[in-house]
Amino acid sequence: MQEGSAQSYTDPAKVAPASEINQININSLFPPELLVHVFDVLHKDTMESLPFPLPYEEGLQRFKQHPLSIAMLVCRGWCDLIKSTPAYWTFVDIGALHHSTIGKQAYTVRSLGSEGVEKIKGRLKKAGSLPLYVTVAPEYISDFGTVLKILKEYAQQLETINIVKIPHLRDATFRQISSEQLLQLFELPLPSLQRLHIDKFHLAPPPPESWIGSRVDMDAPRLYYLSSHLHILLPQNPSHLTSLFISGVDTRTLQSTLTHGQVQLPSLLNLLIRDSEPGLILSALSTPLLQVLIYHSEDASTHLPEDLPEYSHLRDLQWSDVGADATFDLVFRRCPRLVRYANYVVDKAAELGISLLVDPPTILARPGSIDSIKWPDLQEVLFDCATYAALKALVDLVPTIKRIRTLRDPIASPMRHDEDVERERTYLSELREKVDVVVWLDPWTEM
């Protein structure tokens, strides 16, 4: 048996000629059509997994190299195939991923120069006529006007625009970007644009007392995600707009730009208002299908709308609790089918200073007690801090509640020195017989 095995192993008749072995390579096994299919899958997985807006740090990690850079190193054939396929070159970063870092708070601001301009144009050209995903970090670029001129040339192809802020920069190092230049880009027809995010970076001139922001009605009929800071940007045809985030728009800008009749947003599902007056915005927007409303601010609203429509589809309300707020009271009354309520912005929970939270939720401490409110059939409530005694009373009043989260645990970290911890343990035990109760960012025990 051993001899037969050895003989069959070395049988020259079963060994391929050296010329044939040399001709067998990976490209003969995988024709270009199959390779393109494999590369398509790999590239698509990378692009579809990107969050939007794309945080600067995550973009830096993901796109230090091309998503197919490893495949490009296999052989010249693969490299040429990837370089000549426009679909793999639709993501373009300008100033965002190329920088010098000294510590964590100093970055190099660069001039593009003629070589940099040609490099950007060459990268855009490689995408052919395909839609473009462009990420721009204006504060890295000293000649930002040049970048805008380039983008204007490709306005017809811009599908995603992500204008990002540099993290960790001190205010003294901020470059001020011309808001007039920036707005000129969005005054152009943008027939392919679907997603637009403008981060909170400094715009020039900084708003003095007499300064008022602008409103641009964009010619972007396919736009479905819009996030803007300081200015009001709205599509002329908003039929596809499902998510709108408005940030840092002062009261005078709102009053001067949203007083020309109600803005119809028939498909809007998600509305986030940050550091802007919510009463003026909500009274100016018609949002019949709105499902998620988020208000994030360190100040209560000051302009109470005369009235608001019923938000019959609203399921999720997150409203920063900074004390008595008449606009919140009005909104809460207009949400008959609310399923989840949080007195903080859920995505910002980790940023809250829990040890500083000592006041109970305003909605639970108002005059007349909690039974003076008409509560919807809530299923989930989230509070920054609350006693289990107050939460037990709420569950008794609203028996539809199934899940409760409190960021600060009144047992492990009592809100008052005279807190009866043992009584709180008793209430927590009773609560857990009825609902799922979790603390801080712990996962729900019952999914």
Side-chain angles (χ1 to χ4, degrees), residues 360-378:
T362 303
I363 198 170
L364 301 183
R366 62 179 54 230
S369 74
I370 61 174
D371 56 5
S372 64
I373 306 171
K374 184 178 180 181
W375 291 83
D377 292 336
L378 292 168

Side-chain angles (χ1 to χ4, degrees), residues 108-128:
T108 299
V109 177
R110 297 180 176 178
S111 172
L112 293 175
S114 58
E115 183 179 347
V117 169
E118 291 306 313
K119 185 175 181 180
I120 293 173
K121 287 184 176 181
R123 179 64 184 266
L124 290 165
K125 188 176 181 180
K126 291 179 74 170

Side-chain angles (χ1 to χ4, degrees), residues 3 62 69 75 102 107 111 126 142 148 156 169 175 225 230 251 266 278 289 306 322 340 393 402 404 407 431 446:
E3 289 181 2
R62 293 220 193 188
S69 59
C75 66
I102 306 173
Y107 291 73
S111 172
K126 291 179 74 170
S142 61
L148 290 176
Q156 300 290 313
L169 280 184
R175 294 189 60 256
Y225 182 108
L230 197 61
T251 298
L289 298 182
E306 293 184 5
V322 290
R340 181 169 84 157
K402 299 177 181 178
I404 292 178
L407 298 180
L431 264 175
E446 297 179 6

Side-chain angles (χ1 to χ4, degrees), residues 136-328:
V136 185
E139 292 151 334
Y140 279 137
I141 306 166
S142 61
D143 44 352
F144 184 58
T146 302
V147 172
L148 290 176
K149 290 179 181 178
I150 297 172
L151 293 180
K152 288 177 184 179
E153 295 179 23
Y154 289 85
Q156 300 290 313
Q157 293 174 240
L158 296 176
E159 182 180 79
T160 297
I161 303 175
N162 188 36
I163 302 179
V164 299
K165 170 183 175 294
I166 306 171
H168 313 308
L169 280 184
R170 298 173 181 150
D171 286 347
T173 63
F174 270 117
R175 294 189 60 256
Q176 293 178 346
I177 307 305
S178 168
S179 59
E180 290 186 3
Q181 284 183 319
L182 187 63
L183 292 177
Q184 286 174 6
L185 175 64
F186 304 120
E187 291 171 350
L188 297 173
L190 299 165
S192 301
L193 189 63
Q194 297 185 25
R195 301 185 299 181
L196 169 63
H197 170 69
I198 304 175
D199 216 334
K200 185 181 178 180
F201 54 80
H202 283 200
L203 293 169
E209 289 301 317
S210 59
W211 189 86
I212 294 179
S214 303
R215 170 175 170 175
V216 176
D217 292 319
M218 301 171 58
D219 184 4
R222 300 180 63 193
L223 191 65
Y224 71 83
Y225 182 108
L226 173 58
S227 171
S228 63
H229 175 69
L230 197 61
H231 298 282
I232 296 291
L233 301 180
L234 292 169
Q236 296 174 7
N237 179 358
S239 60
H240 288 86
L241 190 66
T242 58
S243 296
L244 174 62
F245 300 158
I246 299 174
S247 167
V249 183
D250 67 17
T251 298
R252 287 162 298 173
T253 298
L254 292 172
Q255 290 173 329
S256 66
T257 60
L258 293 179
T259 56
H260 307 299
Q262 204 168 44
V263 179
Q264 303 295 320
L265 302 176
S267 302
L268 195 71
L269 303 177
N270 306 290
L271 175 60
L272 186 150
I273 302 169
R274 179 169 183 167
D275 297 329
S276 305
E277 179 53 51
L280 294 174
I281 294 173
L282 292 173
S283 60
L285 304 182
S286 173
T287 56
L289 298 182
L290 191 65
Q291 296 181 7
V292 179
L293 173 58
I294 301 173
Y295 173 58
H296 186 198
S297 179
E298 296 181 358
D299 302 302
S301 63
T302 57
H303 288 70
L304 176 65
E306 293 184 5
D307 198 8
L308 289 174
E310 182 176 282
Y311 297 105
S312 58
H313 293 274
L314 198 71
R315 299 292 183 268
D316 187 351
L317 176 63
Q318 303 171 38
W319 195 285
S320 296
D321 189 348
V322 290
D325 188 331
T327 301
F328 165 77

Side-chain angles (χ1 to χ4, degrees), residues 43 47 63-68 83 85-94 97-98 115-128 130 132-134 150 154 157:
H43 189 263
M47 299 305 294
F63 293 101
K64 281 183 177 179
Q65 296 179 324
H66 190 279
L68 298 176
K83 284 185 175 181
T85 303
Y88 307 147
W89 301 96
T90 57
F91 183 94
V92 181
D93 66 89
I94 304 176
L97 309 181
H98 305 287
E115 183 179 347
V117 169
E118 291 306 313
K119 185 175 181 180
I120 293 173
K121 287 184 176 181
R123 179 64 184 266
L124 290 165
K125 188 176 181 180
K126 291 179 74 170
L130 295 177
L132 296 168
Y133 185 131
V134 178
I150 297 172
Y154 289 85
Q157 293 174 240

